[in-house]
Amino acid sequence: MHDLFEPETTRRRALVRVFAERAERAGYGEVRPPVLEELGVFLRMGEATDVVSKEMYEFEDKDGRRVALRPELTAGVVRAFVQHHPPTPWKVWYAGTSFRRERPAAGRYRAFDQIGAEVLGVDDPDLDVEVISLAWSTIAALGLSDVRLIINSLGDQVDRQRYSESVAAYLADHRDELSEAARATAERNPLRVLDTKRPEDRAVVASAPSIAEFRSEASAAHFERVLAGLSSLGIPFGVEERLVRGLDYYRRTTFEIVADSLDAAQNAVGGGGRYDGLAEDLGGPPTDGIGFALGIDRLLLACDAEAVFPAPPTSVDVYVVDTTDGAAARNLVHQLREAGLAADRRYGGGSLKSQMKSADRSGARWAVLIGSDELSAGEVTLRNLRADGEQLRVASSDVRAALLERLHTDREDTTA
Ligand code: HAM
């Protein structure tokens, strides 16, 4: 788990804003489920999955209830849907931290931030296209281009079950050729062996039965319609029949977005899919659901690798340097901030030279200098800290207007 500081924090806020704007334009409202839930909410993600069996921070609280820090937000969002039964379609977006006790690596942390969206109550495959396009267009809006969308359909619950049994039987026949780890996984969760990264297991997996043979007519038609929709929107994709995903609630459409600029072990910047049985599993009526989450930490690593979406500048507009007793600085920064300018100052006085150093370090465009000379004349000196160091004296009562006008001109110059 890590601490985040400027400018990283500002950059993350900007990223969430990019996503929130897109989601809200598509009719999604923000949802904030709690960070801690009863353990049972998360067990529906599959007790055989690593996330549930090894990585969850779970404990008993002082009332003796089993609770856990959320390892993702989907289960909590669906629990909230079941509890509050909002009208459907229920379209929501979120941004928040999740916790998984994973082995830390670049792009794999124990506390990480996600942005995501979920829709409850719609079976239409065109919604799958909308949801995928929201994820894809957010990534494109960040400026990322070295990314791929991979997609699969695991069929409905019956198809998935039949497929899983067939894969289990196939893996049992090839047990001797599998690695020790794959054998253990095959026993707990046979489908998970399919997306193995180990070369020795890959050879076995390459000839495993294909999900395509197990999809019912209805789920095959749903999948075809999703692929046709993506093509029609110009979203490139690759069908990847071995894409299984790490959580057990998925049915039919599943997808991942991979950034090739990242280490192969942690290159999924996002993933999602349908989870049509989850609301029912959590005690609600049968309700279709689909969504995705993008990992903010990995998105930003990918942005670094592609040199896009830099941290926005966090400097102030104006730095007030007061070499008198500081009362003028106290009042002026207040007035400037109230007028909508970003203004800072030095506390504890100091010489003109040392205060000017602080002004330079602040990144401000303009310094306002107040010395005893200015004070007695009822004026201040404005000094441009960028460009040519232009300097002028203005009446104290005109400082605000003079700065607003000059900062406005500076901005026009930089955007021109
Ligand atoms: P997930 O694939 O487990 O899916 O996580 C989504 C994304 O979160 C990953 O692609 C990755 O970018 C990021 N992520 C996951 N674990 C870590 C970690 N330890 N450190 C850094 N980043 C991480 C879900 O969470 C599902 N809830 C997605 C979903 C929503 N499916 C349907 N609706």
Side-chain angles (χ1 to χ4, degrees):
M1 298 189 193
H2 43 219
D3 299 303
L4 296 167
F5 305 99
E6 291 276 22
E8 191 63 18
T9 40
T10 316
R11 193 184 190 200
R12 281 172 187 244
R13 232 177 326 134
L15 187 152
V16 172
R17 207 176 307 128
V18 166
F19 175 61
E21 269 167 20
R22 293 194 120 63
E24 286 176 3
R25 234 186 284 156
Y28 293 67
E30 188 184 356
V31 64
R32 294 194 189 190
V35 173
L36 191 84
E37 297 255 8
E38 286 196 1
L39 180 64
V41 171
F42 303 120
L43 295 183
R44 270 66 178 194
M45 293 161 58
E47 292 187 54
T49 63
D50 283 354
V51 173
V52 171
S53 66
K54 299 187 198 155
E55 297 167 3
M56 212 141 57
Y57 287 96
E58 50 172 286
F59 57 95
E60 197 176 286
D61 74 5
K62 291 205 161 98
D63 302 315
R65 268 183 312 213
R66 298 297 305 173
V67 293
L69 290 179
R70 64 187 182 200
E72 54 114 53
L73 277 85
T74 310
V77 168
V78 175
R79 193 267 315 136
F81 171 80
V82 168
Q83 189 173 337
H84 303 283
H85 29 84
T88 55
W90 196 49
K91 295 171 66 166
V92 293
W93 70 268
Y94 52 76
T97 305
S98 293
F99 304 85
R100 296 182 193 176
R101 223 186 103 264
E102 299 206 63
R103 188 192 301 247
R108 188 180 297 285
Y109 311 110
R110 291 184 163 189
F112 56 95
D113 291 336
Q114 289 182 336
I115 45 177
E118 313 288 347
V119 182
L120 275 296
V122 183
D123 181 43
D124 191 330
D126 286 351
L127 172 71
D128 304 29
V129 177
E130 171 181 305
V131 164
I132 295 171
S133 115
L134 176 58
W136 186 256
S137 70
T138 300
I139 287 178
L142 300 177
L144 288 171
S145 55
D146 196 7
V147 284
R148 285 179 291 125
L149 168 66
I150 52 180
I151 187 165
N152 190 20
S153 167
L154 294 171
D156 57 32
Q157 189 170 2
V158 176
D159 308 343
R160 187 186 154 125
Q161 187 54 36
R162 284 175 44 231
Y163 181 51
S164 176
E165 284 161 15
S166 159
V167 170
Y170 171 85
L171 294 174
D173 285 348
H174 293 80
R175 212 181 131 76
D176 297 344
E177 300 151 58
L178 290 172
S179 69
E180 183 81 34
R183 267 186 247 158
T185 310
E187 266 161 33
R188 275 185 298 126
N189 199 349
L191 291 182
R192 275 308 278 175
V193 179
L194 295 179
D195 57 7
T196 176
K197 297 213 159 95
R198 280 184 214 89
E200 67 264 42
D201 299 326
R202 276 193 136 152
V204 180
V205 162
S207 313
S210 158
I211 178 65
E213 300 152 31
F214 291 82
R215 277 182 211 126
S216 64
E217 220 171 282
S219 47
H222 185 104
F223 191 41
E224 284 310 313
R225 173 88 185 183
V226 174
L227 300 185
L230 292 173
S231 299
S232 168
L233 265 54
I235 298 175
F237 61 84
V239 174
E240 177 63 80
E241 289 194 338
R242 309 264 181 254
L243 175 69
V244 181
R245 308 262 307 122
L247 310 168
D248 270 359
Y249 50 56
Y250 291 110
R251 308 272 178 271
R252 299 195 281 179
T253 312
T254 49
F255 60 95
E256 244 169 45
I257 299 174
V258 170
D260 287 316
S261 56
L262 299 183
D263 275 359
Q266 285 91 226
N267 66 358
V269 289
R274 282 204 163 265
Y275 44 81
D276 298 334
L278 187 56
E280 209 174 348
D281 282 349
L282 287 167
T287 313
D288 297 297
I290 180 170
F292 69 85
L294 305 178
I296 294 184
D297 306 82
R298 290 190 197 172
L299 283 175
L300 291 177
L301 286 174
C303 286
D304 289 342
E306 292 197 40
V308 295
F309 202 70
T314 54
S315 53
V316 290
D317 299 315
V318 182
Y319 199 92
V320 178
V321 169
D322 181 348
T323 51
T324 65
D325 73 352
R330 177 192 63 208
N331 298 346
L332 185 57
V333 288
H334 174 75
Q335 279 171 19
L336 294 175
R337 290 167 186 164
E338 289 297 304
L341 293 175
D344 205 359
R345 57 165 291 201
R346 238 284 274 280
Y347 284 98
S351 67
L352 177 65
K353 195 167 158 212
S354 79
Q355 292 203 45
M356 283 309 294
K357 258 196 204 149
S358 303
D360 280 333
R361 221 176 301 127
S362 76
R365 285 159 196 273
W366 286 87
V368 179
L369 313 185
I370 306 167
S372 45
D373 188 30
E374 279 92 350
L375 206 56
S376 55
E379 293 179 341
V380 304
T381 299
L382 302 187
R383 186 183 292 173
N384 190 335
L385 297 176
R386 310 264 174 100
D388 53 3
E390 174 199 356
Q391 186 161 307
L392 66 154
R393 294 252 306 219
V394 297
S396 299
S397 53
D398 296 340
V399 189
R400 237 182 328 172
L403 282 169
L404 279 168
E405 186 195 321
R406 280 175 177 75
L407 284 162
H408 187 67
T409 323
D410 285 355
R411 281 204 185 108
E412 279 180 351
D413 288 350
T414 44
T415 50

